[in-house]
Amino acid sequence: MTVLVTAGAPASAAQPAPASANRPPALAAPATPGAVVPAVEPVGRDRPPRPTARPSPQPSPSGPSTTVGVRLLDAPVDRRDDTRAHRYIVDHVRPGTTIKRRIVVQNSSEIRRTVALYAAAADVGKKGFALAPDRTENELSSWIDVEPAEEVLAPDEEVEALVTITVPRNSEAGERYAVVWAEAAGVDGQNVRNVGRAGIRVYLSVGPGGEPPSGFETGPLTGGREKDGTPVLTAQVRNTGKRALDLAGELRLAEGPGGLSAGPVKVEAGTLALDGTTTVRVALDRRLPDGPWTAKLDLASGWTKRSATGKVSFGPVPVAVTSAVDRSDQVLTGGLATSGLVLVLFAVYAYRRRVRVRQPVPAT
């Protein structure tokens, strides 16, 4: 039996539910990208009513917004110190296990909306946490059931839903990914379907025994400047564990010129796949002196934390390199023209000399 604690952290960074008196307080957690995808789709006779997952910055301005918010309420007691488990559904279970999580869904639109609740596929690759389009299914999403599957909500109204994940007894060991979506849709006066979605990621590890280890390595810290003078600190990070990571943290600079210090500066590196490598890049203020500085980079994924320190210098603003103009064709053309002129003059000289020799010598 899994004992749960109240999580209370908003799962959708783009559409967070506003605070109310009867809600638990949010826990501090590193800022990680949320699974939010608004989309638009024309409505026609030959098209199904299901929305697509094509990104759109905002709904059509001609109709009411279709914003929706969702947040996680529960997290396992043994993950009380895992900030990811208060934001996403993160767990390790044995085959044949059933787990349940409560979520809260809110209609953030200004009109009454029907909100659909369902699970869809996701994956973690080189580019991070990838969302499958529409209601694409994978193995994990097929194990997930959300009740209620649909709810009609007034503006700013909330409803509590139950997410049940039933792992088959014959399932293979490994980590799987999905998203639990809350979706609101509407049609404006221009016959365009507006769809707003907010989701909670699911990282589920399946296998016997204890949870696979999580870990990562941070390479040397390197400083430099962009062409516009922006100082940038970079570091290579490699996932050395057996679970995907959501990296976030802080950068601090100390012992700079004149005893200056800077930071902390928020750092986000997104989701790092198993055996994956990424470059953490932190842009700083242009006015920052060249250095040298003592830099400390603190990164964490849940309760897995690592730190890296080193001496860095950002250097002066790089001078723009002027490209050399290739004038070889002009030199070649000029050389040929000069050679031709010399040949012509030589021919004229030889001809005149020859004519002069042939002239008869007058008798004395």
Side-chain angles (χ1 to χ4, degrees), residues 1 10 15-16 43 47-48 69 77 95 100 118 250 259 284-285 287 295 305 319 327 358:
M1 178 179 179
Q15 304 294 343
V43 175
R47 297 186 66 90
V77 169
K100 298 179 183 291
Y118 60 91
E250 294 179 338
L284 302 166
D285 194 293
R287 297 168 295 180
K305 302 178 181 180
V319 179
R327 302 182 181 274
R358 288 182 179 181

Side-chain angles (χ1 to χ4, degrees), residues 5 21 28 34 66 75 89 92 112 128 144 178-180 190 202 207 211 237 249 273 306 315 319 321 325 327 352:
V5 296
T66 53
I89 298 176
H92 170 76
R112 193 176 185 86
I144 301 175
V179 178
V180 176
Q190 295 180 345
V202 183
E211 180 176 354
V237 179
R306 300 287 186 274
V319 179
V321 179
V325 180
R327 302 182 181 274
R352 294 182 63 181

Side-chain angles (χ1 to χ4, degrees), residues 255-277:
E255 301 177 1
L260 294 176
S261 61
V265 179
K266 294 293 183 181
V267 179
E268 291 186 13
T271 304
L272 189 58
L274 277 65
D275 299 322
T277 302

Side-chain angles (χ1 to χ4, degrees), residues 11 33-36 84 87-91 118-124 128-132 134-146 163-165 175-182 197-205 243-244 246 271:
V36 179
R84 294 175 72 213
R87 188 178 183 89
Y88 307 131
I89 298 176
V90 182
D91 213 335
Y118 60 91
D123 197 9
V124 176
F129 198 91
L131 308 174
D134 199 7
R135 299 196 184 200
T136 304
E137 191 176 67
N138 65 1
E139 188 178 28
L140 177 55
S141 67
S142 69
W143 301 346
I144 301 175
D145 180 65
V146 186
V163 178
T164 303
I165 305 177
E175 187 172 45
R176 297 163 174 84
Y177 314 101
V179 178
V180 176
W181 288 108
R197 298 201 302 177
I200 296 176
R201 301 182 185 185
V202 183
Y203 298 80
L204 187 66
S205 171
R243 301 208 62 178
D246 287 304
T271 304

Side-chain angles (χ1 to χ4, degrees), residues 217-222 234-238 297 308-309:
E217 293 178 349
T218 305
L221 307 182
T222 304
T234 58
Q236 290 283 334
V237 179
R238 185 171 68 91
L297 179 63
T309 58

Side-chain angles (χ1 to χ4, degrees), residues 310-332:
K311 285 284 186 180
V312 298
S313 295
F314 299 103
V317 179
V319 179
V321 179
T322 56
S323 59
V325 180
D326 186 5
R327 302 182 181 274
S328 58
D329 56 342
Q330 300 178 11
V331 173
L332 179 60

